Amino acid sequence: MKLISKYIIIALTLVFSGCSEVEDSNNTNNEEVKTPSSTALAESRTATAKTIEKGKVVYEYKIEGRSEGEIAYYIPTEVEPTSIIILFDAQARGFLPIVRYKALADKYGFILVGSNISENGYPYPQTQEHFTLVKNWVETNFESLKDKVHIGGFSGGARVGGWLAFDFGYPSIFGCAAGVPNNDKEIINNKFFYGTASTLDFNYRELNALTDGFLALNHFVSIVEGYHDWAPFEEMELIFKWLKMNEMRLGVTDQNIELVTQWFQDYKSDLSEISANNNMPLEIRYNAIIKGSSLFHDLVDISFFEQEKIKFRESKSWAGLSKHRSIANYAEGSWTGKFGYALDGENPVPVWNQYIDELNKEIDNAPNVITKRGLERVNSFISLVGFLKMEDSYNKGNLEEATQFMAIVERVHPTNADVFYFKAIFAAQNNNIQEAKDYLNKAVSNGFANYKKLQNQEELSILNINEFVEKIKNPQLK
């Protein structure tokens, strides 16, 4: 049997742990490492304890003055905080979900804490140590809320969140664009789990597989439109409501049935619009019914959703949905394998370009929306693996190969932020400052949000990096 391509292995590894590199924390300059005195350390801790700010996003805060304890956080002032979410991003961008969902924190009274340390590839024992610092900081400063702490994450951060919730006993977990480690349902057996799967995400099949065997109403995966990313704002608002309702179900917050009933009626109204929209994919329409049961169970009568579920399963639509899903999964898996195996060849770029031509013809002639989406997700896989090859080639000094794979990524994903970022690097190396600025602007406007990577990118030092860092930290939210 032919060995699986190492790039399939890399991609799958990153699907189960993420897509970014871990910085080497070793002291490579053989410099003397000075240990701070106990007095200095105590002063540092005291000073840090006094600098907790409210009503603004704090991007970099070192717990007890320690670098391995760095977080971002936001404490709302418009309402009294009543809950806390600790967030994990795949690239240690602790600020990113905070900036995106700050308005929801204000509306629903959540303190948001984002890890600036945990990222894809970061060793789990060190993650546990980091989380212990975060946990102690949260419980020390917000003792009255320690029973209302929830865990959430994106991609590799979702998996990390799952393990931490299991190890540290947190009952509510949500994961965007990824499930739990190794799809091990034992991790969430006695917990509340809310996953989000985007229709064009390369992790979609994994999240769909996670739903197989889901029996409890407190476990579900919501299907949303989009790519590999944190949940859309509207979906995250449902997650915030779900967390509040979990607190009621757990008995750590008094039940507010009047409020829950209002949320229930709002959701039924949204569901009616979804069901009446014939342009909405069947999988999303059915998923919205299942989600209703999982959102409101044990608090209000959910028989409406159960009846809708039965009606859908007895319709012709259900038989078609099941059949189309199977066909789409097979087609997606077959094409992903073809592209992966092609990387074992001596010159994979021409083969990939040929395969992309063939794939695009299949997409154009797909018999239904579900199959089409499955084939389009192959492009997301190509974009991921192509980016890995592009970055690896660039880091090894093979600019020709890096450029070839950059062209492939751009071909399947023309607005890919990483492509614009690398084009900015190439332009800067050629001293084309305005061109580099233009590409960097496009990178940021299309989702590039790793400002620490930007600050450390030597090739871009000829630019006014602070201008772009500020754009990343203060995005124009849609």
Side-chain angles (χ1 to χ4, degrees):
M1 177 183 287
K2 186 178 180 182
L3 292 175
I4 297 177
S5 166
K6 66 177 181 179
Y7 283 97
I8 288 187
I9 296 173
I10 289 173
L12 292 176
T13 301
L14 294 177
V15 163
F16 281 97
S17 65
C19 315
S20 60
E21 300 175 339
V22 181
E23 293 182 2
D24 184 4
S25 60
N26 295 327
N27 185 342
T28 56
N29 297 323
N30 296 319
E31 297 174 356
E32 180 184 357
V33 179
K34 296 182 180 180
T35 305
S37 66
S38 58
T39 302
L41 188 55
E43 289 174 352
S44 170
R45 291 177 178 175
T46 302
T48 305
K50 294 178 180 177
T51 57
I52 295 178
E53 299 180 77
K54 298 180 179 180
K56 61 176 288 188
V57 177
V58 176
Y59 294 87
E60 297 173 24
Y61 179 95
K62 294 182 179 179
I63 297 173
E64 298 183 348
R66 296 162 65 177
S67 59
E68 68 270 29
E70 189 181 304
I71 57 171
Y73 69 83
Y74 176 72
I75 304 171
T77 54
E78 296 182 14
V79 295
E80 183 67 25
T82 55
S83 307
I84 300 171
I85 308 176
I86 302 175
L87 299 154
F88 294 90
D89 181 74
Q91 298 180 41
R93 303 168 300 183
F95 82 97
L96 184 60
I98 295 175
V99 169
R100 287 190 181 182
Y101 309 127
K102 172 178 170 289
L104 295 176
D106 287 328
K107 184 175 181 179
Y108 295 99
F110 279 89
I111 294 171
L112 304 181
V113 180
S115 170
N116 284 346
I117 297 298
S118 177
E119 65 179 341
N120 295 334
Y122 192 70
Y124 188 65
Q126 282 90 318
T127 300
Q128 289 177 304
E129 293 173 14
H130 164 67
F131 184 74
T132 299
L133 283 172
V134 177
K135 176 179 181 290
N136 292 342
W137 180 82
V138 165
E139 293 180 358
T140 298
N141 290 285
F142 313 103
E143 185 177 5
S144 64
L145 304 181
K146 65 181 181 181
D147 293 327
K148 302 175 185 178
V149 178
H150 312 281
I151 307 293
F154 158 64
S155 192
R159 302 181 211 288
V160 165
W163 270 124
L164 292 171
F166 179 79
D167 288 341
F168 288 84
Y170 290 97
S172 294
I173 319 153
F174 68 86
C176 303
V180 291
N182 303 320
N183 267 9
D184 185 355
K185 295 182 183 66
E186 294 294 321
I187 293 173
I188 56 174
N189 258 355
N190 300 314
K191 301 185 184 300
F192 296 94
F193 176 81
Y194 188 133
T196 64
S198 297
T199 51
L200 295 176
D201 185 355
F202 52 79
N203 275 347
Y204 180 87
R205 281 192 306 151
E206 172 215 332
L207 280 155
N208 246 353
L210 181 63
T211 64
D212 293 341
F214 270 2
L215 299 176
L217 287 171
N218 55 338
H219 300 156
F220 68 101
V221 172
S222 177
I223 300 175
V224 298
E225 296 280 7
Y227 292 89
H228 189 69
D229 202 352
W230 285 92
F233 186 88
E234 295 78 10
E235 188 70 26
M236 189 58 71
E237 184 161 17
L238 283 177
I239 292 174
F240 275 46
K241 290 177 179 179
W242 174 77
L243 294 174
K244 286 293 186 185
M245 288 188 280
N246 286 349
E247 292 174 4
M248 297 180 199
R249 283 184 274 254
L250 291 166
V252 297
T253 294
D254 292 337
Q255 290 193 4
N256 186 339
I257 299 303
E258 182 180 353
L259 178 62
V260 174
T261 300
Q262 181 59 56
W263 290 348
F264 175 77
Q265 294 299 335
D266 291 344
Y267 187 80
K268 279 182 65 178
S269 177
D270 292 340
L271 180 61
S272 295
E273 290 184 18
I274 292 172
S275 299
N277 184 355
N278 292 327
N279 293 322
M280 185 71 70
L282 281 175
E283 56 185 342
I284 292 182
R285 287 155 66 183
Y286 178 66
N287 181 260
I289 298 170
I290 298 173
K291 183 161 58 175
S293 295
S294 292
L295 281 170
F296 298 103
H297 70 91
D298 295 338
L299 295 174
V300 294
D301 181 5
I302 60 170
S303 58
F304 167 80
F305 299 115
E306 296 303 304
Q307 291 164 8
E308 289 295 306
K309 190 191 306 182
I310 291 170
K311 283 196 295 184
F312 194 96
R313 284 177 174 264
E314 290 177 348
S315 70
K316 293 180 180 180
S317 298
W318 174 253
L321 177 60
S322 300
K323 178 182 178 181
H324 294 161
R325 273 181 172 173
S326 297
I327 294 171
N329 283 339
Y330 177 79
E332 183 180 351
S334 297
W335 271 109
T336 297
K338 284 182 70 172
F339 278 97
Y341 282 122
L343 288 171
D344 287 330
E346 292 184 5
N347 191 8
V349 172
V351 178
W352 267 34
N353 277 313
Q354 178 188 336
Y355 284 170
I356 291 171
D357 289 337
E358 296 172 9
L359 175 64
N360 284 337
K361 288 179 182 178
E362 281 202 29
I363 291 173
D364 290 340
N365 296 305
N368 55 70
V369 173
I370 293 175
T371 303
K372 184 176 182 179
R373 286 288 174 82
L375 294 170
E376 287 174 335
R377 284 193 293 273
V378 178
N379 280 335
S380 296
F381 173 82
I382 297 167
S383 181
L384 166 67
V385 179
F387 165 72
L388 294 174
K389 282 288 291 181
M390 175 179 73
E391 189 169 54
D392 180 59
S393 299
Y394 178 80
N395 290 335
K396 290 177 178 177
N398 189 343
L399 299 185
E400 181 181 359
E401 187 174 77
T403 303
Q404 290 175 340
F405 276 101
M406 182 171 67
I408 282 178
V409 175
E410 186 174 25
R411 184 179 177 191
V412 298
H413 190 181
T415 58
N416 185 286
D418 291 307
V419 167
F420 291 130
Y421 184 77
F422 269 87
K423 284 189 173 184
I425 291 175
F426 293 146
Q429 286 177 323
N430 291 320
N431 209 34
N432 295 326
I433 295 178
Q434 187 56 50
E435 186 179 355
K437 289 177 66 176
D438 291 343
Y439 279 129
L440 203 49
N441 268 318
K442 288 181 179 179
V444 173
S445 64
N446 281 283
F448 180 84
N450 195 334
Y451 72 85
K452 289 190 175 182
K453 179 177 181 178
L454 178 57
Q455 288 171 326
N456 294 320
Q457 194 80 50
E458 277 186 39
E459 298 93 329
L460 297 176
S461 60
I462 63 173
L463 306 180
N464 177 12
I465 294 302
N466 291 335
E467 170 191 347
F468 299 98
V469 170
E470 287 306 308
K471 287 181 180 179
I472 291 171
K473 287 185 173 182
N474 300 287
Q476 296 296 315
L477 300 179
K478 299 178 181 179

